[in-house]
Amino acid sequence: MSKDRSSRRFYRAESTHDLSSFMDRGRAASDENRWTFECAWEVANKVGGIYTVIRSKAFVSTEEMGDNYCLLGPYKEQCARTEVEEGEFPSDSPLLTAVNAMRSKGYKLHTGTWLVDGNPQIVLFDIGSGAWQLDAYKQELWDTCSVGIPHLDVEANDAVILGFMVAQFISEFREAVEGRGGVPARVVAQFHEWQAGIGLIVLRVRHVDVATVFTTHATLLGRYLCAGNTDFYNNLDKFSVDEEAGKRQIYHRYCMERAASHMAHIFTTVSDITGYEAEYLLKRKPDIITPNGLNVKKFSALHEFQNLHALAKDKIHEFVRGHFYGHFNFDLDKTLYFFIAGRYEFGNKGADIFIEALARLNHYLKSSGSEVTVVAFLIFPAKTNNFNVESLRGHALTKSLRDTIQHVQQRVGARMYDVCLRGHVPEPTELLLKEDTVRLKRCIYALQRDGLPPVTTHNVVDDWSDPVLNSIRRCELFNTVNDSVKVIFHPEFLTSTNPLFGLEYEEFVRGCHLGVFPSYYEPWGYTPAECTVMGIPSITTNLSGFGCFMQEHIADPMSYGIYVVDRRYISLEGSVQQLAQYMYDFTKMSRRQRIIQRNRTERLSDLLDWRNLGIYYRQARARALRTVYPEYVDHADVQLERAFTYPRPLSEPPSPAHSRATTPAASVHGSDSEEDEVDDEKELAELRISHD
């Protein structure tokens, strides 16, 4: 690469903390007799976001620690049958010794490897096999911590059983591994969320010689308080936490979470905003922030991600043609696809201000005479009876029209061939016969409809009280021919077997132009992160962990396709106006500008790779080990001293100092010049983003 070119771009590896230097498949861990356990309710048990965290991180964890890394969780047969390959540990492994000791006491344990990238070792505990000791467990918890668990809270009871079984297993392992290879054993156990926290509490009260880390991805009380329409972040210091937890009948769970956070040697959260929340609700400030990453290799499409965007967009085009039959009066080449997706938490996920901002965007586009049409998808799983008949009918009619046209095309082509063989140019009447015209007219008339295109693809149960539909009604976004913004509520997650879309969620994201996630309560935010690694610009907020992370590590997030709405320091009305303006500014971008922006967004993918973010987990484990084993030395802290920030792109603002020479230097064969082709000054000058 030429010197001029290398000075004009930043290197990903130099801009982030790289974990690759520690990836020795556990050689160093084995030499030090250092073992790591990671315990969570969602190990090989798909429930929510923590499953994604642990699953995606498994590869870098095993590359770093090899067979000295093991995951612990509950045995859930439905998931385990498909995701776990059962098998015994090697005969000389202390893990097998601990497993056999547990089995000899009557507990059922399932061992093997998790069938994900990295194939980590896994131990799953059959909670039913320990249920007979539940009363004894509860008594010990009360005697040592004064935490009482109600009999009728099944989820809390299961968490207690799992916690005591995990603590017993780690105790057995600690005895088995001591002095292995003539080196003192160093064991660290990390626990995620309150469901796994009991294991940490028991290890501490029983004085087991193990370093502990507790990670909260979202505080239990915080999620409940935000769901209650409170001004959460401006009143964090005013909440009476015991009273608020008691009102919601979760006081015992809150005590479990708070006890685990205080008894852990190291306490971590996934973002600064969650750390701020934990400081007031759990009364402990996190020692380290451990941001969530992604296994970028899974999402990376190398240099073809722009092509994948076009292919997926064509499939969405087909859906739109069918859904809006009879009112299909807009140009798909001038249509943009926006979407929001996630758990159906109407206020927490920001669906309320998204719909309100869409109504204002509709007004902006109509007032300015813009030719752009925006189709906004809201993907939240809700209770439904079945697919909307009008949606299915539309797709059946468009398929019928497409099949008819293909049949007519074949017949016209055959006639044209025959006429040309006779030596003259065919007349139109020789090609398109009356019967063909009749068939086409029948299809066209069938496409006419009296009502408006539906705003939902399904029949929603109790639609009169559904918050999304009520908000759409209030804002009068009814998909009329005069609306520049069309709204489609799809109340189930996307799969390739879906008869309307036929797309996996990843494909759908690739086909859209902008992800909109104006969350009010979002400890991290995997949806905008997934958009980023697929090169799709997104809107997030300064109340989401992802948004805060991007603001901290990118000098100008907007230049890289990351729009951050302020939901913390301005009024709700101000947030809606800002969101509407961001979306309106996006609609004014040319196709070329959007391509440039997608290239930039995709470059941020390495920033979210576990190879870089995994270093924070390593630092948390190292600090916990030093707390318990003062003689332990690790060099990860030295690595983390280097702060990093993605610079502002050179075209923002354009500067004469970076102008290219009259005769550019020749490209070096095999360099990444093709990837940076859009970065020359002429093209980048096209992409102007307001910083008002």
Side-chain angles (χ1 to χ4, degrees), residues 185-483:
R186 298 184 177 97
V187 181
V188 59
Q190 182 168 8
F191 298 84
H192 294 264
E193 289 292 315
W194 68 272
Q195 290 108 319
I198 292 293
L200 186 152
I201 295 170
V202 177
L203 286 174
R204 296 288 280 136
V205 298
R206 291 182 177 178
H207 305 289
V208 180
D209 187 23
V210 172
T212 57
V213 180
F214 182 67
T215 300
T216 182
H217 298 255
T219 68
L220 190 66
L221 186 56
R223 195 177 291 280
Y224 275 84
L225 288 170
C226 278
N229 295 320
T230 59
D231 187 4
F232 180 65
Y233 291 99
N234 290 325
N235 290 288
L236 264 178
D237 58 339
K238 302 179 181 66
F239 288 119
S240 173
V241 289
D242 293 330
E243 181 183 351
E244 295 293 344
K247 284 180 184 176
R248 291 159 178 79
Q249 299 183 2
I250 57 166
Y251 184 67
H252 56 289
R253 297 187 181 190
Y254 168 73
C255 290
M256 293 160 67
E257 181 182 39
R258 184 167 170 177
S261 65
H262 281 266
M263 298 177 79
H265 294 107
I266 295 296
F267 173 50
T268 78
T269 63
V270 297
S271 62
D272 287 316
I273 194 71
T274 309
Y276 175 68
E277 173 188 340
E279 185 178 353
Y280 287 99
L281 299 186
L282 297 180
K283 307 301 181 184
R284 180 175 179 181
K285 190 174 182 178
D287 302 293
I288 299 175
I289 302 299
T290 52
N292 290 335
L294 285 163
N295 187 354
V296 173
K297 180 181 177 182
K298 175 183 176 183
F299 293 96
S300 174
L302 300 179
H303 299 287
E304 295 184 2
F305 78 97
Q306 295 280 11
N307 295 335
L308 292 176
H309 166 73
L311 292 172
K313 185 173 66 175
D314 286 341
K315 292 184 179 181
I316 300 176
H317 282 343
E318 279 303 304
F319 166 82
V320 169
R321 290 187 182 103
H323 191 83
F324 291 97
Y325 81 93
H327 289 261
F328 187 66
N329 64 332
F330 48 92
D331 185 354
L332 287 179
D333 287 335
K334 297 178 181 178
T335 299
L336 300 178
Y337 297 131
F338 296 176
F339 81 99
I340 183 174
R343 286 191 305 272
Y344 198 179
E345 297 177 5
F346 183 68
N348 285 355
K349 295 299 181 185
D352 50 351
I353 75 165
F354 179 46
I355 296 171
E356 179 66 37
L358 286 174
R360 302 188 187 197
L361 175 63
N362 190 36
H363 172 71
Y364 295 162
L365 292 173
K366 290 195 290 185
S367 299
S368 63
S370 174
E371 296 181 351
V372 172
T373 300
V374 171
V375 178
F377 296 92
L378 296 96
I379 302 173
F380 296 115
K383 290 184 179 180
T384 62
N385 289 324
N386 213 325
F387 287 99
N388 189 308
V389 173
E390 274 297 296
S391 295
L392 294 173
R393 171 180 159 81
H395 290 279
L397 290 174
T398 51
K399 183 180 183 302
S400 174
L401 176 62
R402 186 168 56 249
D403 293 343
T404 300
I405 290 174
Q406 288 176 351
H407 179 71
V408 170
Q409 282 178 326
Q410 291 175 354
R411 296 181 63 179
V412 168
R415 294 186 195 114
M416 184 181 294
Y417 178 68
D418 290 340
V419 171
C420 289
L421 283 177
R422 297 189 193 112
H424 66 274
V425 177
E427 297 291 332
T429 54
E430 294 179 279
L431 298 179
L432 193 64
L433 304 182
K434 290 182 178 179
E435 60 185 272
D436 296 328
T437 304
V438 169
R439 292 188 65 180
L440 289 173
K441 283 187 174 182
R442 284 176 179 168
C443 290
I444 292 171
Y445 289 143
L447 286 171
Q448 296 180 356
R449 73 196 308 173
D450 297 327
L452 297 173
V455 296
T456 178
T457 58
H458 291 63
N459 296 321
V460 179
V461 174
D462 296 333
D463 66 285
W464 53 270
S465 62
D466 184 84
V468 164
L469 294 179
N470 279 339
S471 189
I472 290 173
R473 293 178 188 119
R474 181 178 57 81
C475 294
E476 298 185 1
L477 292 171
F478 295 134
N479 295 340
T480 68
V481 291
N482 298 318
D483 285 328

Side-chain angles (χ1 to χ4, degrees), residues 491-502:
E492 69 174 25
F493 287 129
L494 293 171
T495 63
S496 57
T497 57
N498 187 304
L500 299 180
F501 287 91

Side-chain angles (χ1 to χ4, degrees), residues 435-663:
E435 60 185 272
D436 296 328
T437 304
V438 169
R439 292 188 65 180
L440 289 173
K441 283 187 174 182
R442 284 176 179 168
C443 290
I444 292 171
Y445 289 143
L447 286 171
Q448 296 180 356
R449 73 196 308 173
D450 297 327
L452 297 173
V455 296
T456 178
T457 58
H458 291 63
N459 296 321
V460 179
V461 174
D462 296 333
D463 66 285
W464 53 270
S465 62
D466 184 84
V468 164
L469 294 179
N470 279 339
S471 189
I472 290 173
R473 293 178 188 119
R474 181 178 57 81
C475 294
E476 298 185 1
L477 292 171
F478 295 134
N479 295 340
T480 68
V481 291
N482 298 318
D483 285 328
S484 295
V485 173
K486 318 288 185 181
V487 177
I488 300 173
F489 177 32
H490 187 67
E492 69 174 25
F493 287 129
L494 293 171
T495 63
S496 57
T497 57
N498 187 304
L500 299 180
F501 287 91
L503 286 168
E504 291 289 347
Y505 176 74
E506 179 185 336
E507 289 182 276
F508 174 79
V509 172
R510 285 193 186 278
C512 289
H513 297 91
L514 182 69
V516 185
F517 313 102
S519 304
Y520 182 73
Y521 185 78
E522 190 70 82
W524 176 246
Y526 260 122
T527 41
E530 288 166 347
C531 285
T532 301
V533 300
M534 287 187 274
I536 303 300
S538 61
I539 297 177
T540 182
T541 73
N542 59 354
L543 288 181
S544 76
F546 174 82
C548 294
F549 181 81
M550 287 299 180
Q551 284 185 315
E552 179 183 356
H553 294 293
I554 304 177
D556 184 14
M558 196 183 302
S559 299
Y560 289 95
I562 307 295
Y563 301 84
V564 183
V565 173
D566 187 352
R567 293 207 64 182
R568 186 172 183 182
Y569 301 112
I570 63 176
S571 66
L572 181 61
E573 171 62 22
S575 299
V576 172
Q577 290 180 4
Q578 189 179 37
L579 175 58
Q581 189 63 47
Y582 280 160
M583 293 192 293
Y584 181 57
D585 290 342
F586 188 85
T587 65
K588 292 191 291 185
M589 295 172 67
S590 68
R591 180 174 180 272
R592 182 63 179 163
Q593 289 172 324
R594 293 197 303 271
I595 290 173
I596 294 171
Q597 191 176 61
R598 281 200 297 274
N599 281 330
R600 286 190 180 171
T601 304
E602 192 272 339
R603 286 182 193 159
L604 297 179
S605 60
D606 280 5
L607 183 62
L608 299 169
D609 193 340
W610 275 121
R611 288 176 179 83
N612 298 315
L613 298 182
I615 198 76
Y616 294 101
Y617 274 79
R618 181 182 173 89
Q619 185 196 34
R621 294 192 299 267
R623 288 183 59 178
L625 285 167
R626 280 200 305 273
T627 302
V628 179
Y629 314 106
E631 73 282 0
Y632 177 74
V633 177
D634 186 85
H635 302 290
D637 284 339
V638 178
Q639 294 277 338
L640 283 175
E641 291 300 321
R642 299 185 295 112
F644 67 95
T645 302
Y646 269 46
R648 178 173 292 140
L650 295 177
S651 64
E652 285 294 324
S655 171
H658 292 92
S659 298
R660 179 175 288 183
T662 305
T663 304

Side-chain angles (χ1 to χ4, degrees), residues 147 467 692:
V147 175
D692 295 340

